């Protein structure tokens, strides 16, 4: 699981901002949201322009050099570095808890996204570090550290040391680098706003979601999903041979699903597609997941998502979700003024299950700074 993340000088974050998922409180309710002492399910709130989308994208920067074959946003490196310090570096810090092993992986990139520095620690002990042409490789973990340094300097200056070791060094199947690679390969970010975009797990998604539903015999399952989460009933017709689009019946009329349903229902169709792939995921971030949803639908979708085994973070403006019936104060995060912290750290008061967290928030009783 991702235990902690920090970034400095990235887009709108001029200063270092840290998301700490490793320090949950001792609440006894909704314990499904915590796994091995790490927040498994959380929602990030904040005003427009606070940086919720940028935080999600920053977490997925690691995809761009450790999972180069996975899908990416084409414009990711546009406005990549903070405009106030364009000649500096963007500094990333990750802490992963993978089967009880703590991997700390830090690296820096320039404004073009080229790696400048990187280092890794395993359970607090240095594994390797690189700063320009200065390279350290711990011989405890890699006995031929000297030749690795020579090969890397001569042949692999533009790639990550992690990728170099994965490609050229024989590793046991339970090696921590393979665990890290597996986790990163299972990460998924997506949004459904002006454009449908995603980062991770699939090298290329199905270009036609409805074709995916038809070809996998999921029409009935999809119809039941829509009814379950949104109370909408569609009489979706069985496909004819070669059909790549869904049609449904209203009276005696036959209507194309994708161009006659609401924006919110089309967003649900996209979510359904990704739900069918989440058995492959390790970490999911959905940006403004409920931008087109009714508040009750948003709540129902959270129930669906939080039942999935992988770690899931959502961003939202919908404070209706800020309730102890869904999560807990240490799993609701406020991002504002370049800092992010859980509601449980925004007040000195003891927050109990019976408290109306949304009402307290709207009354301005939480100190977000």
């Amino acid at each position: 699981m991702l235990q902690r993340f920090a970034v400095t000088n990235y887009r709108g974050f001029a200063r270092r901002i840290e998301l700490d998922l490793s320090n949950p409180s001792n609440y006894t309710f909704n314990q499904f949201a915590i796994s091995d002492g790490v927040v498994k399910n959380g929602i990030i709130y904040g005003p427009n322009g606070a940086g919720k989308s940028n935080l999600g994208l920053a977490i997925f920067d690691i995809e761009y050099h450790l999972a180069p074959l996975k899908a990416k946003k084409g414009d990711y490196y546009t406005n990549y570095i903070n405009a106030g310090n364009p000649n500096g570096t963007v500094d990333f810090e990750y802490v992963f808890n993978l089967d009880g092993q703590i991997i700390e992986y830090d690296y820096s990139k320039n404004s073009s996204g080229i790696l400048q520095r990187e280092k890794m620690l395993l359970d607090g002990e240095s594994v390797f570090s690189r700063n320009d042409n200065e390279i350290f490789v711990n011989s405890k973990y890699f006995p031929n550290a000297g030749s690795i340094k020579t090969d890397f300097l001569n042949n692999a200056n533009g790639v990550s040391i992690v990728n170099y070791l994965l490609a050229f060094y024989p590793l046991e199947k339970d090696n921590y680098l393979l665990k890290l690679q597996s986790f990163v390969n299972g990460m998924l970010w997506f949004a459904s706003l002006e454009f449908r975009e995603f980062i991770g797990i699939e090298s290329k998604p199905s270009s036609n979601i409805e074709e995916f539903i038809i070809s996998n015999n999921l029409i009935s399952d999809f119809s039941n999903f829509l009814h379950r989460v949104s109370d909408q009933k569609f009489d979706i017709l069985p496909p004819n041979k070669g059909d790549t689009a869904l049609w449904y019946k209203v009276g005696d009329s036959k209507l194309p699903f994708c161009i006659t349903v609401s924006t919110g229902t089309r967003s649900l169709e996209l979510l359904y597609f990704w739900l069918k792939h989440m058995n492959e995921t390790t970490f999911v971030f959905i940006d403004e997941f409920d931008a087109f949803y009714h508040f009750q639908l948003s709540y129902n979708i959270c129930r669906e998502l939080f039942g999935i085994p992988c770690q899931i973070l959502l961003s939202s403006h919908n404070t209706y979700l800020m309730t102890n019936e869904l999560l807990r104060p240490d799993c609701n995060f406020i991002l504002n003024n370049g800092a992010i912290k859980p509601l449980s750290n925004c007040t000195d008061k003891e927050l109990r299950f019976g408290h109306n967290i949304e009402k307290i928030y709207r009354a301005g009783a939480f100190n977000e700074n």
Side-chain angles (χ1 to χ4, degrees):
M1 299 182 74
L2 178 65
Q3 186 167 291
R4 192 167 67 250
F5 171 78
V7 66
T8 306
N9 206 36
Y10 179 84
R11 300 195 177 202
F13 300 127
R15 302 189 307 274
R16 181 179 183 274
I17 181 171
E18 179 181 270
L19 173 64
D20 188 355
L21 303 172
S22 67
N23 192 29
S25 300
N26 58 352
Y27 299 109
T28 58
F29 56 90
N30 291 337
Q31 295 190 29
F32 68 86
I34 307 297
S35 178
D36 295 326
V38 178
V39 173
K40 172 183 171 288
N41 301 128
I43 303 177
I44 299 171
Y45 303 88
N48 292 94
K52 298 185 298 297
S53 297
N54 283 343
L55 180 66
L57 289 172
I59 292 172
F60 278 74
D61 188 274
I62 196 171
E63 291 278 321
Y64 284 79
H65 66 282
L66 291 193
L69 299 181
K70 299 297 181 180
K72 310 291 189 295
K73 277 172 57 67
D75 62 348
Y76 177 75
Y77 285 113
T78 303
N79 300 318
Y80 178 71
I81 199 166
N82 184 266
N85 185 20
N87 297 319
T89 58
V90 187
D91 304 323
F92 297 89
E93 306 167 41
Y94 295 83
V95 180
F96 299 96
N97 185 335
L98 303 178
D99 296 331
Q101 292 180 297
I102 305 302
I103 298 175
E104 299 174 58
Y105 181 46
D106 301 349
Y107 62 85
S108 300
K109 293 181 177 179
N110 64 17
S111 60
S112 299
I114 306 300
L115 276 172
Q116 304 295 297
R117 297 179 294 275
E118 62 179 329
K119 67 177 181 179
M120 177 177 288
L121 281 74
L122 176 64
D123 295 329
E125 185 172 3
S126 179
V127 175
F128 66 76
S129 62
R130 170 194 177 193
N131 189 348
D132 296 324
N133 289 326
E134 295 293 325
I135 294 179
F136 165 77
V137 179
N138 193 332
S139 58
K140 172 183 174 180
Y141 300 105
F142 302 98
N144 58 340
S147 62
I148 291 174
K149 290 191 290 183
T150 301
D151 289 347
F152 191 85
L153 287 171
N154 290 338
N155 303 307
N157 289 343
V159 304
S160 163
I161 293 180
V162 177
N163 279 349
Y164 177 84
L165 293 172
L166 286 168
F168 296 108
Y169 198 89
L171 301 171
E172 296 180 357
K173 62 181 180 180
D174 62 345
N175 185 272
Y176 55 93
L177 291 180
L178 292 173
K179 291 178 182 179
L180 177 62
Q181 181 186 52
S182 178
F183 187 92
V184 172
N185 282 340
M187 293 173 67
L188 169 68
W189 173 98
F190 71 93
S192 178
L193 299 170
E194 294 91 348
F195 304 98
R196 291 181 171 184
E197 300 178 302
F198 78 101
I199 301 170
I201 69 168
E202 293 260 322
S203 59
K204 185 179 181 182
S206 171
S207 58
N208 187 328
I209 293 174
E210 295 183 4
E211 182 178 3
F212 167 82
I213 292 171
I214 292 168
S215 63
N216 287 278
N217 299 314
L218 293 171
I219 290 177
S220 178
D221 187 69
F222 175 55
S223 180
N224 290 336
F225 167 77
L226 292 176
H227 184 219
R228 183 172 68 251
V229 300
S230 67
D231 205 32
Q232 297 181 88
K233 294 182 179 181
F234 289 94
D235 185 7
I236 302 178
L237 297 170
N240 296 315
K241 185 176 181 179
D243 278 354
T244 59
L246 296 175
W247 294 76
Y248 65 103
K249 188 177 180 182
V250 177
D252 294 327
S253 299
K254 177 183 175 182
L255 301 176
F257 187 87
C258 65
I259 62 174
T260 59
V261 299
S262 70
T263 303
T265 303
R266 289 201 303 273
S267 181
L268 280 174
E269 186 181 51
L270 176 69
L271 175 65
Y272 177 81
F273 170 81
W274 285 120
L275 282 170
K276 291 302 174 183
H277 290 75
M278 284 189 189
N279 63 321
E280 308 166 28
T281 58
T282 55
F283 179 93
V284 176
F285 190 104
I286 311 178
D287 189 26
E288 295 196 40
F289 83 103
D290 57 346
F292 303 114
Y293 296 162
H294 180 270
F295 64 88
Q296 185 62 51
L297 173 57
S298 300
Y299 184 95
N300 294 342
I301 291 299
C302 284
R303 286 291 195 193
E304 292 273 330
L305 290 169
F306 295 160
I308 297 171
C310 69
Q311 193 174 13
I312 296 180
L313 296 182
L314 312 171
S315 72
S316 177
H317 291 109
N318 182 6
T319 57
Y320 177 80
L321 304 175
M322 199 180 284
T323 169
N324 288 332
E325 293 183 358
L326 183 63
L327 280 176
R328 358 182 309 172
D330 52 350
C331 297
N332 289 292
F333 294 84
I334 302 298
L335 196 165
N336 200 11
N337 298 322
I340 182 168
K341 55 184 178 179
L343 287 178
S344 53
N345 290 356
C346 295
T347 179
D348 293 329
K349 295 182 179 179
E350 180 184 359
L351 298 174
R352 300 174 181 172
F353 178 78
H355 284 147
N356 187 324
I357 302 299
E358 180 189 21
K359 184 177 180 180
I360 296 172
Y361 176 76
R362 287 178 173 268
F366 289 112
N367 178 16
E368 302 174 28
N369 299 314

